[in-house]
C-alpha cells in the first residue's frame, strides 16, 4: 500500500492560492452587454485561453481585467488585493511591474519613435533603473531572448517587420519579470511561419519564467498549443470552460460545437 | 512717457489678479504647471507672450526692468519688450543685472548671481517636458500626478544610444524638490546649476500653452541623468575673446570668410561690466575705443 | 491504479437537430500496478472514447474514473493537468507540438515541466530516442517534418520519458517496423516491471498477446441504440 499512498500524494494537486480571481464581472455599453457574470481564477504558471467570435466580449473582458476599463460590477482579486479598490497609482504601478499587456497591434504597445533598446528599457527606467550600462545590458539580453539581432538595438521599431515588432513588444513587456501577462490576439495579423516562431517563443517564456497568461484569440490552434484551460465566450457570457483539449475535443455547448466544427482542417 | 490709453502694464487689473493667483499657486507647488487664461498680447506667440503676461502681473511702478534675449539686452526681442513696458507701465529699465528688480529672459540665466530682491521671468515655448515622447495631455498630466517619470530617462537613454553621451544641450529636464519634473525652458544646460538654490524668485510663463510654473527662492533643482552618464554643465572650452572671462557661457561668432571666429560672453551685461573693470580678452580692445 | 466504475457517456450534437447519441453505459474496469490491460472490440465500439475519458479529454456523463485516487470524472481542470503531468501518461497516435521546437526538447519537455534539470531531462530523452533508432541528426529538428513512423517514435519517447505510474497507449506499435516494434514492446514490459498500470489499444495481435495480461471487450459497454 506504500506505493499507492505515494502515487496518491503525487496525484494530489498542490494547494495554492489563485494569482488572479475574478467574480461576477460585468461591463455594459449602455443597454448592450460587453461582458456579464464572468468568474474564473488563474494560478501561477497557468495559461488561460479565451475564445469567441468578434463581439463576444473577450476583448472587453481583457481590458476590464487589465484595468483599461472599469467594470460595472464584480470583483477582481490579484495576489490577495482587491484590484478595483486600489488607488490608480497602485494599479498603474502593478501594470508596469507585475503585469504586462501584449497588444494585437504592436504599434499600440510600442513607442514607435524610440529605439528598440529604449522600448525595452522603458519599464526598467519606470521602476527606477538609473544606470545606462545596466539598462543596455538587460535590453541586449532581452532582444536576444526574443531573437532580435543585437545590432538592431538602436533601430526604431518602424524599421522592423511585423513579427519582429511583436517580439519586441513581448520583450518590452517581460523585461521587468511580470507574473501575469494579458495577450490580445498576439499572433493576429502575422504570417503562419512567423506565428509558429512566436508561439514557440511564448511557450518557452511561459515555462521558464513561470508566467500566468490570459490569452484572447479566435485561433483555436493557438490556444490548443498554449493554453492549459479554455473559456468560450458568446454574447458577453462564458458558455463553457474547462481543460483546453477537453473543450476542443468534446465540446458541450452548441456554440462551442459550432466553433470547433467550423475550423478548416489543414 | 506712459501711454495712458492703457492700464498700468497693459493688462487690466482683473487679468493681472488672475495671473497672480496662478503665480501664487505655482510658487506654492514648485515645478507644477498651473493652467491660466492666457490673453492675446500685441505680439505674436513665440515672442514671449507668456513671459510678458507674467512680468505685467509682477511689475510695480517703482520696479526696474531688465529684458534679455539669449543673454543680450540689445536684440530685437529684448528691445521691443523693454520698450513695451516703458510705454505701458512707465517703469525704469536697466541693462545691469545687479540693478534690476524684475528680469525677463529668453534662453539664459544671467551670469551675475541673483538676489532675494529679484524676480526672474522666463519665456517658455513648450512647458511640458514629457511632450517629446507622450503627445496626450491627459496622459502627461496623469504621469505628473503619479510621478511616472521613467519616460524622461528614455529620452536621455536615446541620446546616449545615438550620440554616446547625453546630447541634450538646452531645455535639459530637471526634478524640482524631488517631486515634479520640469522643463527649465530652452536655457543651455550650462545654466541648469543656477536654477537650484537660487535666492531670486523664478517664474516661467508659456503664453501659447497657457501654463505658468515657478521655483520659489532656494528651491532644490536637480538635472536628470544616469549614474554612469552624470549631468555635465558644458560650455565651449575657450575664454571670452572680449573680456577674457573663463567661466561664462559663450557665443561663437564667425568673423570672416577664412574660418576666423571668436567666442564672446552671451551675457552682454556681464561682458561689459568686466571690460569696464579693465579685463581684456584675446581680441578685445580697451573700453574707450569701443564706445561709438 | 486505474479503476472505472459504471461509466457512461453520450454525445449531444446541438447543431445536428440536438441529437443525443449514447456511446457508453455501465463501463467497468480495473488496472492494477504492474498490469497491462488491452481494450478490444470492433471499430467504433468505444475503445478510444473510453481511453479519452480516462485521460480527461472527454467528459463523462455518469460513473467514476479513479486514477491514483483522483476521480477524473469529477476533477477540475487544474487537478487533471497535475495528474497528467505527474501520474498519467498518454501515447496517442498523433503528435501535436509547437512547430520549430527541436525533437530532443519535445521529448524532454514532460521532465522539464516536472522540474527536472535540463541536462538530466535531455540525457534521458537522448537515451530513449537512440533506443527507438531516431537518427541523432534529426534530434535538433522539429518532428513536424518527420515521416509517420518517425513521428510515432518521437511520440513514444515522449510518453516514456517520465516513469508515469499509469499509462494509456493508443496503438503504440502502429506504423513501426519490426525492430522498433520490439523496442516499444520491451519499453512496455519494463514499465510493467517497475509497477506501471497500463491500459492500451493494440490492433497488432502479436503485440497484444505479448504484453497484455488481460483483455476487455468494450462492446459490452455499448448501450442499446436509442430510437
Amino acid at each position: 500500500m506504500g506505493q499507492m499512498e505515494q502515487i496518491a500524494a503525487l496525484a494530489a494537486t498542490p494547494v495554492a492560492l489563485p494569482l488572479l480571481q475574478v467574480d461576477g464581472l460585468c461591463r455594459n455599453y449602455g443597454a448592450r452587454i460587453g461582458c456579464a457574470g464572468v468568474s474564473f481564477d488563474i494560478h501561477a504558471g497557468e495559461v488561460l485561453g479565451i475564445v469567441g467570435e468578434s463581439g463576444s466580449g473577450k476583448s472587453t473582458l481583457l481590458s476590464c481585467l487589465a484595468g483599461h476599463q472599469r467594470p460595472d460590477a464584480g470583483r477582481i482579486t490579484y495576489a490577495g488585493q482587491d484590484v478595483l479598490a486600489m488607488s490608480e497609482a497602485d494599479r498603474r504601478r502593478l501594470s508596469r511591474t507585475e503585469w504586462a499587456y501584449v497588444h494585437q497591434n504592436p504599434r499600440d504597445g510600442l513607442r514607435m519613435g524610440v529605439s528598440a533598446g529604449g522600448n525595452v528599457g522603458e519599464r526598467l527606467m519606470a521602476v527606477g533603473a538609473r544606470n545606462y550600462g545596466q539598462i543596455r545590458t538587460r535590453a541586449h539580453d532581452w532582444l536576444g531572448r526574443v531573437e532580435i539581432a543585437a545590432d538592431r538595438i538602436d533601430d526604431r521599431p518602424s524599421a522592423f517587420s511585423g513579427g519582429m515588432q511583436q517580439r519586441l513588444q513581448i520583450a518590452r513587456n517581460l523585461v521587468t519579470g511580470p507574473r501575469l501577462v494579458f495577450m490580445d490576439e498576439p499572433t493576429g495579423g502575422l504570417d503562419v511561419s512567423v506565428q509558429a516562431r512566436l508561439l514557440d517563443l511564448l511557450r518557452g517564456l511561459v515555462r521558464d519564467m513561470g508566467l500566468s497568461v490570459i490569452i484572447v484569440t479566435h485561433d483555436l490552434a493557438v490556444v490548443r498549443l498554449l493554453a492549459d484551460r479554455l473559456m468560450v465566450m458568446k454574447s458577453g457570457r462564458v458558455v463553457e470552460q474547462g481543460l483546453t483539449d477537453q473543450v476542443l475535443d468534446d465540446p458541450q455547448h452548441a456554440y462551442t460545437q459550432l466553433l470547433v466544427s467550423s475550423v478548416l482542417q489543414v | 512717457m506712459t501711454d495712458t490709453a492703457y492700464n498700468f502694464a497693459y493688462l487690466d487689473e482683473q487679468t493681472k489678479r488672475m495671473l497672480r493667483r496662478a503665480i501664487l499657486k505655482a510658487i506654492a507647488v514648485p515645478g507644477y504647471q498651473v493652467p491660466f487664461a492666457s490673453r492675446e498680447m500685441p505680439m505674436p506667440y513665440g515672442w514671449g507672450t507668456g513671459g510678458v503676461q507674467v512680468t505685467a502681473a509682477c511689475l510695480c511702478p517703482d520696479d526696474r526692468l531688465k529684458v534679455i534675449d539669449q543673454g543680450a539686452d540689445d536684440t530685437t526681442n529684448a528691445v521691443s519688450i523693454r520698450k513695451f513696458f516703458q510705454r505701458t507701465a512707465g517703469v525704469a529699465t536697466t541693462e545691469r543685472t545687479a540693478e534690476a528688480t524684475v528680469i525677463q529672459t529668453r534662453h539664459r540665466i544671467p551670469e551675475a548671481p541673483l538676489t532675494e530682491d529679484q524676480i526672474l521671468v522666463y519665456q517658455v515655448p513648450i512647458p511640458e517636458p514629457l511632450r517629446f515622447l507622450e503627445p496626450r495631455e491627459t496622459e502627461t498630466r496623469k504621469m505628473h500626478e503619479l510621478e511616472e517619470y521613467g519616460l524622461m530617462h528614455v529620452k536621455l537613454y536615446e541620446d546616449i544610444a545615438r550620440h554616446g553621451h547625453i546630447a541634450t544641450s538646452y531645455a535639459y529636464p530637471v526634478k524640482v524638490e524631488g517631486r515634479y519634473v520640469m522643463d527649465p525652458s530652452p536655457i543651455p544646460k550650462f545654466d541648469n546649476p543656477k536654477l537650484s538654490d537660487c535666492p531670486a524668485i523664478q517664474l516661467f510663463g508659456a503664453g501659447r500653452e497657457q501654463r505658468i510654473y515657478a521655483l520659489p527662492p532656494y528651491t532644490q533643482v536637480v538635472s536628470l541623468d544616469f549614474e554612469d552618464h552624470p549631468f555635465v554643465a558644458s560650455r565651449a572650452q575657450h575664454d571670452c575673446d572680449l573680456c577674457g572671462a573663463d567661466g561664462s557661457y559663450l557665443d561663437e561668432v564667425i568673423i570672416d570668410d577664412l574660418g576666423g571666429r571668436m567666442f564672446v560672453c552671451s551675457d552682454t551685461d556681464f561682458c561689459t561690466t568686466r571690460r569696464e573693470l579693465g579685463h581684456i580678452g584675446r581680441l578685445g580692445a580697451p573700453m574707450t575705443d569701443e564706445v561709438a | 491504479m486505474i479503476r472505472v466504475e459504471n461509466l457512461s457517456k453520450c454525445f449531444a450534437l446541438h447543431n445536428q437537430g440536438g441529437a443525443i447519441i449514447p456511446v457508453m453505459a455501465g463501463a467497468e474496469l480495473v488496472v492494477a500496478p504492474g498490469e497491462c490491460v488491452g481494450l478490444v472490440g470492433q471499430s467504433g465500439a468505444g475503445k478510444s472514447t473510453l481511453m479519452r475519458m480516462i485521460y480527461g479529454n472527454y467528459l463523462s456523463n455518469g460513473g467514476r474514473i479513479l486514477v491514483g485516487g483522483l476521480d477524473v470524472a469529477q476533477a477540475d481542470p487544474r487537478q487533471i493537468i497535475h495528474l497528467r503531468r505527474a501520474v498519467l501518461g498518454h501515447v496517442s497516435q498523433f503528435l501535436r507540438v509547437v512547430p520549430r521546437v527541436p525533437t530532443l526538447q519535445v521529448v524532454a519537455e514532460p521532465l522539464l515541466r516536472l522540474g527536472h534539470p535540463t541536462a538530466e531531462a535531455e540525457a534521458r530523452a537522448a537515451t530513449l530516442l537512440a533506443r527507438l533508432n531516431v537518427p541523432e541528426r534529426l534530434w535538433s529538428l522539429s518532428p513536424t517534418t518527420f515521416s509517420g513512423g518517425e513521428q510515432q517514435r518521437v511520440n513514444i519517447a515522449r510518453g516514456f520519458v517520465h516513469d508515469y505510474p499509469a499509462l494509456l497507449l493508443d496503438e503504440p506499435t502502429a506504423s513501426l517496423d519490426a525492430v522498433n516494434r520490439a523496442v516499444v514492446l520491451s519499453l512496455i514490459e519494463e514499465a510493467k516491471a517497475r509497477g506501471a498500470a497500463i491500459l492500451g489499444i493494440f490492433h497488432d495481435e502479436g503485440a497484444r498477446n505479448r504484453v497484455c495480461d488481460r483483455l476487455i471487450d468494450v462492446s459490452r459497454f455499448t448501450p442499446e441504440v436509442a430510437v
Side-chain angles (χ1 to χ4, degrees):
Chain A
M1 256 351 250
Q3 196 199 354
M4 281 312 290
E5 277 155 19
Q6 224 177 335
I7 290 165
L10 259 181
T13 313
V15 183
L17 286 175
L19 188 64
L20 186 78
Q21 208 167 356
V22 177
D23 286 309
L25 205 71
C26 295
R27 164 80 197 179
N28 298 322
Y29 301 109
R32 213 159 50 77
I33 292 174
C35 63
V38 178
S39 301
F40 66 90
D41 58 20
I42 180 166
H43 287 225
E46 283 183 352
V47 179
L48 174 71
I50 304 176
V51 296
E53 61 201 357
S54 308
S56 60
K58 54 193 194 316
S59 294
T60 298
L61 173 62
L62 198 69
S63 62
C64 283
L65 295 176
H68 301 166
Q69 289 188 44
R70 197 170 171 83
D72 297 317
R75 274 176 74 87
I76 304 174
T77 314
Y78 171 78
Q81 311 161 71
D82 183 345
V83 174
L84 299 176
M86 261 182 210
S87 72
E88 188 174 15
D90 288 343
R91 197 181 47 66
R92 283 172 67 119
R93 190 169 304 120
L94 204 57
S95 48
R96 62 171 190 267
T97 53
E98 296 197 14
W99 292 4
Y101 194 101
V102 177
H103 294 263
Q104 171 173 10
N105 187 343
R107 289 175 170 274
D108 295 336
L110 291 172
R111 289 194 192 277
M112 298 305 282
V114 170
S115 69
N119 263 289
V120 176
E122 182 179 341
R123 272 171 76 114
L124 295 172
M125 294 181 242
V127 295
R130 292 292 178 263
N131 186 298
Y132 175 83
Q134 287 169 9
I135 293 166
R136 190 109 175 134
T137 306
R138 295 273 298 274
H140 260 299
D141 174 42
W142 267 96
L143 289 181
R145 288 173 79 164
V146 299
E147 303 171 16
I148 293 175
D151 62 2
R152 304 300 300 271
I153 189 167
D154 293 330
D155 292 348
R156 293 186 175 185
S158 46
F160 287 5
S161 68
M164 277 174 79
Q165 288 181 359
Q166 197 58 295
R167 296 202 301 279
L168 180 62
Q169 194 193 175
I170 288 167
R172 168 181 160 88
N173 269 285
L174 297 190
V175 65
T176 48
R179 298 168 71 192
L180 178 61
V181 185
F182 302 101
M183 293 189 186
D184 187 5
E185 301 273 10
T187 58
L190 297 178
D191 288 344
V192 192
S193 59
V194 179
Q195 269 191 26
R197 186 177 188 182
L198 196 67
L199 287 176
D200 168 27
L201 186 77
L202 284 176
R203 226 161 84 126
L205 291 171
V206 165
R207 193 190 60 211
D208 297 344
M209 299 178 72
L211 297 176
S212 301
V213 180
I214 299 178
I215 180 170
V216 158
T217 179
H218 59 254
D219 189 335
L220 299 184
V222 167
V223 287
R224 190 186 279 276
L225 290 173
L226 280 184
D228 302 305
R229 289 184 301 131
L230 189 58
M231 242 164 56
V232 183
M233 291 190 71
K234 179 175 165 46
S235 309
R237 290 170 199 282
V238 176
V239 294
E240 184 164 356
Q241 58 178 316
L243 211 57
T244 300
D245 60 292
Q246 179 264 305
V247 173
L248 293 178
D249 293 338
D250 186 16
Q252 304 297 303
H253 190 275
Y255 176 69
T256 318
Q257 292 186 355
L258 182 67
L259 201 66
V260 170
S261 63
S262 305
V263 174
L264 300 175
Q265 298 289 324
V266 183
Chain B
M1 43 170 251
T2 311
D3 193 330
T4 48
Y6 293 107
N7 188 35
F8 176 76
Y10 183 74
L11 294 172
D12 64 274
E13 290 306 309
Q14 288 305 321
T15 297
K16 284 194 276 185
R17 284 178 71 182
M18 175 272 292
L19 282 159
R20 286 172 194 145
R21 266 189 229 113
I23 291 167
L24 286 174
K25 182 170 179 181
I27 289 173
V29 191
Y32 171 71
Q33 299 167 47
V34 181
F36 77 105
S38 182
R39 297 292 194 254
E40 290 288 338
M41 297 303 285
M43 61 188 73
Y45 288 127
W47 287 64
T49 53
V52 165
Q53 290 178 77
V54 171
T55 299
C58 292
L59 277 181
C60 296
D62 53 357
D63 267 322
R64 188 178 295 274
L65 178 69
K66 170 183 164 79
V67 183
I68 49 174
D69 176 4
Q70 309 258 24
D73 295 86
D74 52 3
T75 53
T76 315
N77 203 219
V79 171
S80 58
I81 291 173
R82 195 161 56 229
K83 281 196 173 150
F84 175 74
F85 283 115
Q86 275 172 344
R87 267 185 75 184
T88 59
V91 292
T93 60
T94 179
E95 295 191 3
R96 300 279 167 175
T97 301
E99 290 172 10
T101 54
V102 177
I103 304 171
Q104 179 169 336
T105 177
R106 175 175 174 268
H107 296 193
R108 274 311 309 276
I109 297 176
E111 304 287 355
L114 301 177
T115 67
E116 290 182 2
D117 300 324
Q118 293 176 312
I119 298 174
L120 184 59
V121 178
Y122 296 76
Q123 300 171 200
V124 181
I126 298 168
E128 180 49 71
L130 298 162
R131 187 65 73 234
F132 171 75
L133 294 162
E134 178 51 68
R136 290 167 295 178
E137 175 70 15
T138 47
E139 188 64 17
T140 52
R141 283 208 209 183
K142 187 67 76 185
M143 291 159 89
H144 282 295
E145 177 194 339
L146 302 175
E147 286 185 72
E148 293 180 359
Y149 289 133
L151 209 50
M152 238 28 267
H153 276 86
V154 174
K155 183 177 181 320
L156 301 179
Y157 170 94
E158 291 290 285
D159 253 14
I160 304 173
R162 197 152 301 147
H163 305 287
H165 60 97
I166 299 178
T168 301
S169 56
Y170 63 94
Y172 192 104
V174 294
K175 195 163 202 181
V176 179
E177 287 290 335
R179 178 59 181 84
Y180 286 98
V181 165
M182 187 189 95
D183 183 331
S185 87
I187 58 171
K189 65 176 169 185
F190 171 81
D191 283 342
N192 268 24
K194 294 186 223 160
L195 292 163
S196 190
D197 210 30
C198 174
I201 292 176
Q202 302 176 77
L203 303 176
F204 299 77
R208 181 179 42 210
E209 303 277 332
Q210 318 204 73
R211 293 289 185 277
I212 288 172
Y213 50 101
L215 298 172
Y218 304 109
T219 300
Q220 190 208 8
V221 179
V222 177
S223 303
L224 302 181
D225 61 2
F226 287 102
E227 294 159 8
D228 46 349
H229 286 269
F231 171 80
V232 179
S234 59
R235 61 182 283 278
Q237 291 307 306
H238 291 272
D239 295 343
C240 173
D241 285 328
L242 292 180
C243 76
D246 61 359
S248 64
Y249 191 71
L250 301 173
D251 285 336
E252 184 179 1
V253 182
I254 306 294
I255 50 175
D256 56 35
D257 291 344
L258 306 168
R261 50 191 189 155
M262 65 188 292
F263 289 89
V264 294
C265 292
S266 97
D267 184 335
T268 50
D269 169 55
F270 178 76
C271 201
T272 309
T273 308
R274 278 179 55 85
R275 289 164 69 205
E276 284 169 359
L277 290 174
H279 297 281
I280 300 176
R282 185 175 63 95
L283 302 173
M287 202 55 197
T288 46
D289 297 345
E290 287 250 345
V291 177
Chain C
M1 183 63 215
I2 302 174
R3 174 186 294 274
V4 171
E5 294 169 357
N6 195 25
L7 193 65
S8 63
K9 169 76 185 164
C10 56
F11 288 111
L13 304 178
H14 297 287
N15 298 303
Q16 291 171 41
I20 294 185
I21 303 171
V23 291
M24 189 168 295
E28 304 267 344
L29 68 83
V30 174
V31 187
E35 187 183 34
C36 177
V37 174
L39 295 178
V40 293
Q42 72 217 45
S43 194
K47 302 185 292 293
S48 289
T49 301
L50 182 55
M51 294 269 275
R52 284 167 167 248
M53 287 165 79
I54 295 170
Y55 196 57
N57 182 227
Y58 281 4
L59 292 180
S60 316
N61 294 90
R64 305 211 303 163
I65 305 166
L66 294 167
V67 179
L70 180 74
D71 184 358
V72 174
Q74 299 291 327
D76 67 38
R78 198 165 286 127
Q79 291 173 307
I80 296 178
I81 290 168
H82 183 75
L83 184 80
R84 289 177 178 183
R85 198 165 289 176
V87 177
L88 181 62
H90 183 216
V91 176
S92 75
Q93 290 173 269
F94 309 101
L95 182 66
R96 222 165 219 151
V97 292
V98 177
R100 236 174 53 110
V101 180
T103 296
L104 191 68
Q105 278 184 32
V106 167
V107 175
E109 206 202 347
L111 289 178
L112 293 177
R113 280 205 286 185
L114 280 165
H116 290 264
T118 309
E120 181 200 319
E122 289 188 350
R124 173 119 174 92
T127 311
L128 272 167
L129 284 169
R131 233 183 122 181
L132 286 155
N133 303 302
V134 178
E136 191 165 348
R137 66 189 156 78
L138 298 182
W139 294 359
S140 58
L141 305 176
S142 164
T144 41
T145 53
F146 290 6
S147 72
E150 282 162 350
Q151 288 198 1
Q152 175 68 352
R153 280 177 276 151
V154 171
N155 220 4
I156 289 165
R158 188 178 153 89
F160 281 89
V161 74
H162 168 57
D163 288 339
Y164 295 102
L167 261 177
L168 304 173
L169 307 176
D170 191 352
E171 297 277 14
T173 55
S175 64
L176 293 186
D177 58 37
V179 176
N180 286 311
R181 176 174 167 273
V183 175
V184 173
L185 293 179
S186 44
L187 280 174
I188 295 172
E189 281 164 348
E190 287 161 25
K192 281 169 67 178
R194 66 168 166 79
I198 300 172
L199 186 65
I201 302 171
F202 304 87
H203 282 134
D204 168 357
E205 205 169 326
R208 195 194 303 159
N209 293 339
R210 180 167 152 195
V211 295
C212 290
D213 302 297
R214 286 186 291 123
L215 297 179
I216 293 175
D217 186 350
V218 297
S219 325
R220 289 194 280 138
F221 311 140
T222 308
E224 305 286 310
V225 176
V227 180

